[in-house]
Every structure is written in structure tokens, then in C-alpha cells.
Amino acid sequence: MADRGIVPGWVTVADERDAWDPDLARGETDTVKWSKAQAQMWPNSLSATSERASDHSSFEVARWLQERASFAKINEVSLQTQLAAFIAEKQDESGCLTRAESLEDSTVYQPLTKAAEFRVLELLPGQHDDQLAGHLHHVVADFEPKGPFMQSFRRNHTNFESRNGTWTLTGPWKTDYVISVHLEVPIYYTALSYVWGAPDLTSSIDLGGEVTDITSNLDVALRNLRHESHSVSLWVDQVCINQSDLREKETQIQLMGLIYRRAWNTLIWLGEDFYHGAFQAMQEMADDTQGLNRVLLEDEKELLRHPPPHKAQAYDAARAMLNNPWFQRTWTIQEVVLSSSPYIMAGRSTCHWEDCIGYCGPLKDLGVFDAPLFETRPHLDSYVRTEPRPLELSAMETAFNLYAMSVSSHTHPSQEAGSLLDILIATRHAKVSNSRDKIFGILGLCTENIVPDYSVSLAKILWETTLTCIRHGGDQAQPVRVVPSRMDGFNGSHVFFQILGCIDHPVGTGGDSPSWVIDWSQPRFTHALAVDGVSRNCFNAGGSSTITGLGLSSDEQKLHTYAKVFDTVHSLSPIITDAELLASDSTLDNTALAQSIAFAHFVSPSTTTGSLFTGFCKVITTGKDGTGRLPYPSEYTEVISYLCDTVTGQSPTFADQVYTQRQQRGRMTLQNLKTRNSGRAFEDCKKAFKVAMLNRRLCWTARGHLGLVPRFAREDDDLVVIPGGAVPYVVRRVRDADGKAEYHLIGEAYVDGVMNGEVMADDTVPLDDLVLL
């Protein structure tokens, strides 16, 4: 039987290796074996694998009580002296947890009574099909040895750099072990990151004579990690945390960051699915597209989606691997971000996280792994999507975002991955079983002091989380006033505008919470218009002034700022639920564009403000390019003008429509939208159109402006501009109190003709108090 406890080599590909050349399994080093296998599988790929083999040490499950080479460098007397003092101090500590009454007779889950204390699983050796068995050991993670060479000496991408074969320290030391107070020794362990899978506890593990139920997915993982001849050391949440003790779970959640930081390494278990050749397929595709910064045509994407037959299986495996549920769960995010040496394991194939997911960088914006249109709209001739569907990040985007967060965490280990608000925004797509875990599951990544408490209602947790974001941003500590804006665009209440940009759900979804409280349990249905300062490159509705400080009522239910109420919603289109833009002359293929044209003509052009066609082009792309970082490109106008006439069968579609010379000469065809520069402009415009329109409504305002508003906006809702805000907002008047109007916040808007400070410059529109309930 293969050795399942230790997986040697940079990438262990036992199954792949055997499939290509069984003789490679004998008599050669793993690096040589893999290089030969790679040469057969990918004859045209770069020989980067063997070079990278030295960059990351081989994956090995931490062996129980195995002394690492690093401790040979430590002065034994000094270490023992420090350990003795530390252990004596721990033995004197009073308990920090009360043992649950239901566990008074338990012999497995003894109470955790010391600071930074948790359990590590000693997984006993056995054959693959033997009953799982092990012991739980209490360890503490707050031991920091002092003096030179007191911390673990380990070559990794954070701490050391290879220069001409010599390893040079380039970063801070890392303590990657914990201490057993009972055994008085350092303990190394491998932290397991995995998806629980089906909640049914159909398997079990024997823990010192007491059988504990576990999920089938964990059962499979432990059988693959168990060694035949010696024990291995693991941290596994399902076993090491007493799942029946809610108080213990809440306390252990606060230690998650420390647990993963102190791990010798982390194993990301994707299951027994083999994903044959996935790692190398991602490397080759990244190499092939390295430095490619242009927008790909659809035909070019199809070539990459459908490689030659001898590579097709591996490419399909890579796509399947990135769609593994692990990439979509909230809890796994901090697990990989905080781990200094994470590896991915699928079946018996293992690869270092950085090497595998790092390849996503060149690929994430190319759309190569995006599902083709026929997969998302199976019957194009009769397809109509009527119900809004939440946004989902592509597997490639998800993987790269995780990779970027982990790189940032390791590059700046003294800093957290970001503020609570930034991390919640970045992880909003991730899924949980308990809605409270949208917040609790990422606390290890930030510094804000939120104590997990599952007995508190979700509504209260969401409210307190938003208040914590406001306080952390410093806005509440300042008086509410309007001041000149700074040139960098990040002024005053930046956190306040971030919060407003996160409201993408109807009022009341968070229970009785105020309308400005973000309901993180709800997924986004629209792409945010202005979450960060990047949007100021494209528009700046709030003008050259900004708000500093925020006013909160004494009960912290009302939010006070200043704003100009400049217009109201007059009429609304249906929700745009299918925002695809196709190079087709069929109205059925371009339903969103056809609906948008019809609505734009709903109000007579004589009542509009400015050019109807120019405003229409800006609104359906929200005045931005496909990246969302640059203003509306002039090349879009030809694309939109041609498609409007093609879909409607009219020329011109708009009375003030703009035509290029090529259009006037009749040389613009659908084929132009599939090739060369016009094709790339179309592909980029298609992306901008989808980002802008999906799950929003077009609107006409009472003053004749065309705009985009949230799907749950209503006629007679007010439109406001807040000094310093990038975009207008839709608000709904609820009541008047003491002569002041109070509103519910509905969400962001784009309104043509007011996106560059026009309202703030209009002295006829008063600046008034705005109270959000």
C-alpha cells in the first residue's frame, strides 16, 4: 500500500505518474519522476516544475512528538529553563472556561482552562480500512522563546530567500509549534482545512475508548492522512473542538487565527476526486497567457477552453477542481490566508498552494474558465430569466482573491489582512450553514474586537458589526460637518460610503435592523457602483466637498449626515435579470438591450435632459469600462449604436444617435464585433453592460434624467447626493419627526447628468439634514 502519511516531493502525483509511465515509480527521485511525467504530459510546457521544487519543502503530515531539525539549533539549557518557567506559570493559571454540565462524565473533552489552549489530535497508525483511532492532547500556543535562534528555523517563502544556493533571512521569525504542558515538549501539527460536507455524522473515530461521530468527508481525509507505522499530529475542528459545547466553540473561534498561524503546515483537503493533471494544466495555461493584457475575443476564449485532445482531460480537471465546494466556504478563507505553508491535496495528488493558485493571476480576467453562454442559457431561442439570481464569483476569481489575501498576510505578517469591513466585502460571496458565521468565520483576519456569541440574534449581530465598522473607521468620533475634499479621494467618511455601497437588500431583511445596517447573510445581486475610491476615476457626484464624522442617535438606531435631495423616481423598468449582450441581430438574444431601448423611449425625448443617446450609452455601462476602473471608452459608442439598430431594425433608433464613418458607409457588420479591435471593444463593452445592468432597473426621474436604481426601488422614492459621495443614493421617506424627514436607505444609483458634481454646484438645491432609519 502507498505511504499515505507522508507525501514526498513538490507535487506527489502517484496516480498521474502511474497513468503515464509505471516504470517511473521505481528507482528515481520524485523530482526526476515528475519531470519525466511532465515531459510526456506537456511536451511544450516550461520546465518550471523541477526548478520550483526547491522553493517549497515537501509536504509531510506532522509526526507526533517528532523533534524537528530546528530544535537542534536551540540552546537546550536555555530552552528548558524557559519551558519550565512557562509551564509553571500555566499550571498556576485559573480556568477561563466553565465545563458544561452535560460533559461532567466525559473522559475525552476535558475542559480548556488556560489562555490560548486548544486540543491536538494524535491520529494513531493503522491500515487504510482500520477503525480510526487517536488521542486528544491539550496544548497552549502562547509560548514565545526568547534569545537568538529560539524560534523555528524553516525555509519558506516568507522568511528566507535562496541566493546562489544560500538561504538568507528576509523576514521575521515564525513560531510554528505549540507546547504540551503535560508532556513538557513542543508539538508540531498539521492543520486540516476542509469542507464538512453532508451534516450527517455517519462515521466515527475512537478517542481513547470513547467513540465520537464525524462526517464522512472527514473520515475519508483522516484515512488518507493516517500513517501505517507511526502517529501523526493534526488539528481538526470537528474533533479537537467539542461540538456539543456552545461556549467552548465560541471561545475556540477566537483562537482560530492563532491555531492556523502556529501550525507546522496546513493541508487543504479537496476530497478523493483525483483532478487528474489539474495542477499542471493551470501552470501551462498561465505560462501560455503570461503578459497577455488585452481583452480576449470569444473565439480566443473557446480555443483556450477546448485544448487539444491530449490535454482536454487535464483542463477539465482544473476547472472541476476550482469548482470544489472548498473554494466557496467562509471558514476556509481565514484557514488558508493565515497558514504560512498550505498545501492542496486531492486524492493522492498534492501541490503547494502558492504554486497552484498563484497561476490564477494571469487567468482570472481572461474568462477562460467561465462557463460558455450555452451552459448558462441552455435554450437561447426561448430563454427568458424572470427571477433575479445572486452574484457568484467565478472559481478563478475566488481562488485568486484567496491567494492575494494570503500573500498580503505573509508579506506583512505584523499586519492583519484588512479591516473587518474590507474582509466582509471581499468574502461576501462565501457560504455558511449558520448565518452568524459570515462574521464569526473571518474574525481571525481582523483586529476588531467582536466576541462570538451564538445565543445573540442575527439582527443584533449584524447591527453591532456595522457599528463596529463605523467606530473602527473613526467616523463617529468626529463632528458631522462639510469640509473641502482632499485630492486623493479618500476623505472624511470613507467607511460611511463603503457601508452605503454594501446595501443591496430590501429594507427589513435583517429583522428590525436599521436600513443602513448591512445584512451579510444576504448575497449581493448587483455589482457595487462605488465601494472604494477607484470609482472616483469615473464619476464624483458628491463634488469637491465631503462629509467628516457621522451622527448616531443615543440608541444608535439612526444615522445622521447631510445631503441634497435633488429628484424623485418617476417611472421604472422591469428588473434586468438577463444582462447578456450578444453579437446577434435577434431580439431574443439581446432581451436586456431591447428592454432598455423600449424603456428609454417610454418618456418623450423632449422631456429629457441632454442627449438621449449619449445618456443611454453612459447609463447602460454606468459610465465605466469593463474593468470598472476607467471612464467610458469612446469605442463603446459605435458598438452600442450598431447593436441598437440591429436589434430594433430601425435606423436611427434614437433621434440624436451617433454614427461613425464606417457605419455611415455600411461597413459595420456583426462579423466586426467578433474580430480585431472592434471585437475587443465589444467584449469589453459586454462586460461593462453586464456589471452595470444585472438585477437593476432603469428609471426616469421627475426632472427628466435617465438612470439606474436598485431592483426594489419604487416610484416617488427620493434621489440624494451626499457631499464627497461618488454616486447618488435612493432613499424612501418614512416619516417626519420634529420637522425633519427621516428615510430608509434603498441603495446606490447612477443618474445621467448628475455624476460629476452638478447637484453640489447647484445653489438652488438646499443642503439639508439626512436622517437614515
Side-chain angles (χ1 to χ4, degrees):
M1 177 180 291
D3 185 345
R4 296 175 182 268
I6 298 179
V7 190
W10 172 71
V11 179
T12 297
V13 284
D15 293 341
E16 294 181 30
R17 185 170 62 226
D18 296 343
W20 292 102
D21 187 352
D23 293 333
L24 290 177
R26 298 187 298 272
E28 297 173 298
T29 66
D30 279 61
T31 300
V32 173
K33 296 171 190 174
W34 172 246
S35 298
K36 288 188 176 182
Q38 179 194 3
Q40 295 183 33
M41 295 167 64
W42 311 106
N44 298 319
S45 65
L46 299 177
S47 58
T49 303
S50 59
E51 296 174 5
R52 290 174 182 167
S54 62
D55 290 347
H56 296 116
S57 57
S58 303
F59 173 75
E60 177 185 355
V61 181
R63 185 169 178 171
W64 179 249
L65 295 184
Q66 178 179 353
E67 182 178 338
R68 299 290 174 184
S70 58
F71 273 86
K73 299 178 178 293
I74 298 176
N75 181 292
E76 183 176 355
V77 175
S78 176
L79 176 62
Q80 293 301 325
T81 300
Q82 292 184 52
L83 271 176
F86 175 79
I87 291 169
E89 179 184 349
K90 284 295 176 183
Q91 291 172 343
D92 290 338
E93 284 185 1
S94 59
C96 58
L97 281 176
T98 301
R99 187 177 182 181
E101 292 182 1
S102 60
L103 302 172
E104 289 181 351
D105 297 327
S106 172
T107 58
V108 175
Y109 290 106
Q110 296 296 320
L112 299 168
T113 60
K114 301 175 179 62
E117 183 179 15
F118 56 93
R119 303 181 187 92
V120 169
L121 170 66
E122 176 194 355
L123 183 62
L124 298 177
Q127 299 296 316
H128 183 268
D129 295 331
D130 291 346
Q131 167 68 38
L132 291 171
H135 299 291
L136 291 177
H137 299 268
H138 287 214
V139 296
V140 288
D142 52 352
F143 175 65
E144 289 286 357
K146 299 178 175 59
F149 297 103
M150 280 295 134
Q151 288 164 306
S152 180
F153 184 92
R154 188 156 68 96
R155 296 179 301 190
N156 59 44
H157 71 281
T158 303
N159 295 339
F160 290 89
E161 183 178 284
S162 179
R163 296 172 182 170
N164 300 322
T166 301
W167 291 94
T168 305
L169 178 67
T170 59
W173 297 104
K174 175 186 180 294
T175 303
D176 47 14
Y177 55 86
V178 290
I179 301 299
S180 169
V181 176
H182 174 67
L183 299 175
E184 300 185 8
V185 293
I187 301 294
Y188 289 88
Y189 62 93
T190 294
L192 187 63
S193 178
Y194 68 107
V195 174
W196 277 41
D200 299 331
L201 303 177
T202 57
S203 302
S204 64
I205 181 172
D206 185 327
L207 297 175
E210 186 170 321
V211 176
T212 299
D213 294 332
I214 59 175
T215 63
S216 60
N217 195 36
L218 178 58
D219 177 270
V220 174
L222 294 180
R223 292 182 186 279
N224 278 271
L225 295 176
R226 179 168 54 181
H227 200 280
E228 294 179 0
S229 58
H230 64 254
S231 296
V232 295
S233 181
L234 298 167
W235 185 85
V236 185
D237 61 347
Q238 201 175 139
V239 175
C240 296
I241 299 176
N242 183 1
Q243 298 299 321
S244 62
D245 187 342
L246 188 60
R247 287 292 307 279
E248 179 177 308
K249 287 174 64 176
E250 293 168 352
T251 304
Q252 290 288 287
I253 285 173
Q254 299 176 68
L255 295 179
M256 287 292 194
L258 187 60
I259 289 170
Y260 278 91
R261 286 191 183 97
R262 287 297 177 93
W264 166 253
N265 54 21
T266 296
L267 184 69
I268 299 163
W269 170 252
L270 299 185
E272 285 194 303
D273 291 335
F274 187 41
Y275 303 124
H276 182 88
F279 299 140
Q280 285 303 303
M282 292 178 65
Q283 176 188 339
E284 182 178 74
M285 190 178 292
D287 290 340
D288 289 345
T289 57
Q290 188 72 39
L292 187 64
N293 55 10
R294 70 173 188 268
V295 177
L296 292 184
L297 301 173
E298 190 61 32
D299 288 346
E300 293 172 328
K301 294 179 186 177
E302 283 301 300
L303 286 175
L304 289 172
R305 287 179 184 139
H306 302 288
H310 68 286
K311 298 180 181 180
Q313 181 183 2
Y315 276 47
D316 289 343
R319 183 180 292 108
M321 184 184 74
L322 290 174
N323 282 307
N324 186 285
W326 183 90
F327 290 98
Q328 300 295 333
R329 304 299 294 178
T330 294
W331 281 106
T332 60
I333 294 170
Q334 68 176 3
E335 294 169 3
V336 69
V337 169
L338 297 176
S339 300
S340 64
S341 186
Y343 289 79
I344 300 177
M345 186 176 187
R348 284 178 290 164
S349 183
T350 309
C351 182
H352 196 281
W353 164 263
E354 181 177 309
D355 292 322
C356 176
I357 304 303
Y359 298 135
C360 296
L363 301 176
K364 72 179 183 69
D365 293 326
L366 299 182
V368 175
F369 283 174
D370 294 351
L373 191 60
F374 68 80
E375 293 181 10
T376 57
R377 296 172 65 180
H379 306 290
L380 291 178
D381 57 343
S382 61
Y383 178 87
V384 178
R385 177 179 293 162
T386 57
E387 293 297 324
R389 291 171 54 182
L391 297 179
E392 291 187 359
L393 282 184
S394 71
M396 190 64 70
E397 287 179 298
T398 301
F400 180 76
N401 288 347
L402 286 174
Y403 171 74
M405 291 174 69
S406 62
V407 169
S408 176
S409 176
H410 298 153
T411 304
H412 306 288
S414 62
Q415 302 177 12
E416 301 300 324
S419 71
L420 174 63
L421 181 57
D422 290 333
I423 295 168
L424 286 169
I425 291 172
T427 61
R428 191 163 186 174
H429 67 281
K431 297 176 176 60
V432 292
S433 300
N434 186 324
S435 296
R436 296 167 179 81
D437 289 334
K438 288 295 295 182
I439 291 93
F440 298 164
I442 52 89
L443 293 180
L445 297 173
C446 53
T447 57
E448 287 86 342
N449 184 26
I450 293 180
V451 178
D453 187 345
Y454 286 93
S455 67
V456 175
S457 69
L458 176 62
K460 186 175 182 181
I461 290 172
L462 296 172
W463 171 63
E464 291 179 341
T465 299
T466 302
L467 288 175
T468 299
C469 294
I470 292 173
R471 293 174 184 132
H472 188 79
D475 291 331
Q476 187 189 16
Q478 303 181 52
V480 184
R481 57 196 178 98
V482 181
V483 299
S485 176
R486 284 184 8 213
M487 294 301 293
D488 60 13
F490 290 89
N491 22 174
S493 301
H494 174 57
V495 169
F496 173 51
F497 292 122
Q498 277 188 299
I499 290 172
L500 298 188
C502 290
I503 302 301
D504 188 36
H505 43 77
V507 176
T509 57
D512 297 328
S513 298
S515 63
W516 47 268
V517 168
I518 307 167
D519 186 354
W520 299 108
S521 69
Q522 299 294 315
R524 281 205 74 106
F525 281 74
T526 62
H527 295 273
L529 297 179
V531 166
D532 55 36
V534 171
S535 303
R536 295 179 183 274
N537 296 332
C538 307
F539 34 72
N540 186 21
S544 59
S545 298
T546 192
I547 292 289
T548 64
L550 292 174
L552 278 171
S553 61
S554 58
D555 61 359
E556 298 184 317
Q557 295 290 317
K558 301 179 183 179
L559 201 60
H560 166 238
T561 185
Y562 291 109
K564 287 191 172 188
V565 181
F566 69 92
D567 213 336
T568 59
V569 175
H570 176 268
S571 54
L572 290 162
S573 77
I575 302 172
I576 305 297
T577 56
D578 178 33
E580 297 292 345
L581 198 62
L582 302 179
S584 168
D585 57 3
S586 170
T587 302
L588 290 176
D589 287 351
N590 281 304
T591 55
L593 182 61
Q595 289 176 5
S596 301
I597 294 169
F599 181 78
H601 284 96
F602 178 72
V603 176
S604 170
S606 62
T607 65
T608 64
T609 301
S611 167
L612 177 58
F613 176 70
T614 300
F616 178 80
C617 293
K618 294 288 185 67
V619 168
I620 64 175
T621 59
T622 57
K624 296 187 286 189
D625 72 344
T627 69
R629 295 178 173 272
L630 296 174
Y632 174 89
S634 59
E635 293 81 6
Y636 285 7
T637 301
E638 181 185 50
V639 171
I640 295 172
S641 176
Y642 176 76
L643 284 176
C644 284
D645 289 357
T646 302
V647 169
T648 63
Q650 301 176 7
S651 183
T653 300
F654 295 90
D656 58 352
Q657 191 163 332
V658 175
Y659 291 101
T660 62
Q661 290 186 355
R662 177 165 57 174
Q663 287 176 278
Q664 293 172 357
R665 295 171 181 171
R667 295 180 179 176
M668 185 71 176
T669 66
L670 286 173
Q671 188 60 32
N672 291 123
L673 300 185
K674 301 177 182 179
T675 59
R676 306 180 68 178
N677 291 337
S678 295
R680 301 191 197 288
F682 168 70
E683 290 294 329
D684 199 51
C685 181
K686 180 167 69 173
K687 183 176 181 181
F689 179 83
K690 185 171 185 176
V691 168
M693 300 290 286
L694 186 62
N695 295 326
R696 287 192 170 97
R697 296 177 185 266
L698 288 164
C699 82
W700 279 107
T701 74
R703 295 188 176 184
H705 293 280
L706 186 64
L708 272 176
V709 293
R711 65 191 181 281
F712 31 80
R714 300 175 187 169
E715 293 179 2
D716 296 325
D717 281 346
D718 287 324
L719 290 157
V720 302
V721 166
I722 300 173
V727 298
Y729 299 93
V730 179
V731 296
R732 184 170 300 149
R733 186 187 294 261
V734 178
R735 62 173 181 260
D736 292 335
D738 299 326
K740 294 182 179 180
E742 295 181 337
Y743 298 87
H744 279 157
L745 175 64
I746 306 302
E748 296 177 305
Y750 181 97
V751 182
D752 181 51
V754 305
M755 299 304 296
N756 293 299
E758 293 88 346
V759 170
M760 295 305 301
D762 187 351
D763 293 336
T764 65
V765 182
L767 182 68
D768 292 323
D769 291 331
L770 179 70
V771 179
L772 298 176
L773 299 177

